[in-house]
Amino acid sequence: MTVKSLLAFDYGTKNIGVATGQTLTRSANAQAQLKAKDGIPDWSQIEKLLKDWQPDLVLVGLPLNMDGSESELSARARKF
């Protein structure tokens, strides 16, 4: 079994949540949130996270409505 590291983002228009994890224990740990202005982060912070953690996989959460349908933020999260 190959262990993979992950960097995950929880997209929002004011804050973007960040978590790191790995597949061996299937665990994740929250990292500091990133501030965003109308959904736009400081891309240099994203670049630094990628350089520091060097993840095998990058995930972006897809915000859905309670009924499972896509929300207004879904398209923006996909673009992110």
Side-chain angles (χ1 to χ4, degrees):
M1 180 173 146
T2 303
V3 177
K4 294 191 183 288
S5 63
L6 296 93
L7 184 61
F9 296 96
D10 184 17
Y11 179 80
T13 58
K14 294 181 182 179
N15 294 297
I16 298 173
V18 180
T20 55
Q22 46 82 23
T23 59
L24 181 64
T25 61
R26 296 182 181 190
S27 63
N29 295 301
Q31 302 299 317
Q33 287 188 353
L34 304 177
K35 294 290 182 191
K37 292 183 181 177
D38 192 30
I40 301 170
D42 177 349
W43 290 107
S44 65
Q45 290 180 316
I46 303 285
E47 182 179 21
K48 182 173 179 353
L49 287 169
L50 292 169
K51 284 182 180 177
D52 289 350
W53 290 98
Q54 298 182 10
D56 296 304
L57 299 168
V58 175
L59 303 173
V60 177
L62 185 62
L64 299 175
N65 292 315
M66 293 298 288
D67 65 0
S69 63
E70 291 202 7
S71 70
E72 289 181 33
L73 285 180
S74 295
R76 293 183 75 174
R78 288 180 191 281
K79 185 176 178 181
F80 172 80

